[in-house]
Amino acid sequence: MNNTNKTESGQIVAVCTSPQKQTHKINIQEGVVKENHGLMGDAHSSPLTHRQVSLLAQESIDKMKDLGLDVHPGDFAENITTIGIELVTIPLGSRIQVGNETILEVTQIGKECHNPCAIYQQAGDCIMPREGIFARAITGGKVKTGDKIRIL
């Protein structure tokens, strides 16, 4: 590992799920990622997609707070909110370890929004399409607030 890169590891701030798509997610603090499926109980969890788990940095959420929005982990429909790791700089195909057991493979950086979300409508901007990342679950396991996240 290159020790000059301060963004190679971080911590989980929130673990969020929602039973429906296109809604904000609720911080459940702890969850289980199923291999080749995603976060159990989440509407996006499926073996049929390369976007099984979504991640967004708290630093990105803070950018929206700076615009005056009252936003929190899960409001951007991300499964895992992190701090201290620059997610958007992780190359596609990279593997990241979340907690002690879970390995994710980065499959997409950013996304195209179907319709302007409520956040975009309020602020005229949304960071998830640019700064959110998506991953496939290579191995499953428990993930919880406070767990470490690192690039392998």
Side-chain angles (χ1 to χ4, degrees):
M1 222 180 349
N2 179 355
N3 291 329
T4 61
N5 184 350
K6 293 185 266 185
T7 63
E8 287 185 346
S9 66
Q11 192 171 20
I12 296 175
V13 175
V15 177
C16 306
T17 64
S18 172
Q20 295 179 324
K21 292 183 178 183
Q22 298 182 340
T23 63
H24 74 277
K25 297 182 187 299
I26 303 298
N27 183 1
I28 58 171
Q29 311 269 329
E30 182 176 314
V32 175
V33 173
K34 183 178 176 184
E35 180 179 321
N36 194 34
H37 209 273
L39 188 61
M40 299 306 298
D42 188 71
H44 291 95
S45 181
S46 168
L48 303 177
T49 181
H50 68 283
R51 294 179 8 177
Q52 296 170 348
V53 179
S54 57
L55 299 92
L56 183 67
Q58 179 64 50
E59 293 89 345
S60 296
I61 295 171
D62 290 344
K63 289 178 187 178
M64 297 307 289
K65 284 184 174 190
D66 290 346
L67 294 176
L69 294 180
D70 182 22
V71 288
H72 307 279
D75 287 349
F76 295 90
E78 79 279 5
N79 294 126
I80 296 175
T81 310
T82 66
I83 195 163
I85 186 167
E86 213 170 321
L87 297 173
V88 295
T89 64
I90 301 172
L92 290 177
S94 296
R95 291 192 175 191
I96 51 179
Q97 181 172 345
V98 182
N100 294 325
E101 308 163 314
T102 304
I103 306 291
L104 303 176
E105 182 179 80
V106 177
T107 57
Q108 185 174 328
I109 298 170
K111 70 172 194 152
E112 188 176 326
C113 283
H114 310 291
N115 299 308
C117 65
I119 292 169
Y120 185 89
Q121 291 173 3
Q122 286 178 347
D125 191 20
C126 181
I127 43 78
M128 190 63 179
R130 291 186 311 279
E131 300 184 21
I133 70 168
F134 299 88
R136 209 169 46 87
I138 301 301
T139 62
K142 285 186 181 179
V143 294
K144 65 183 184 311
T145 299
D147 277 352
K148 298 288 182 206
I149 178 170
R150 67 183 181 93
I151 302 171
L152 297 176

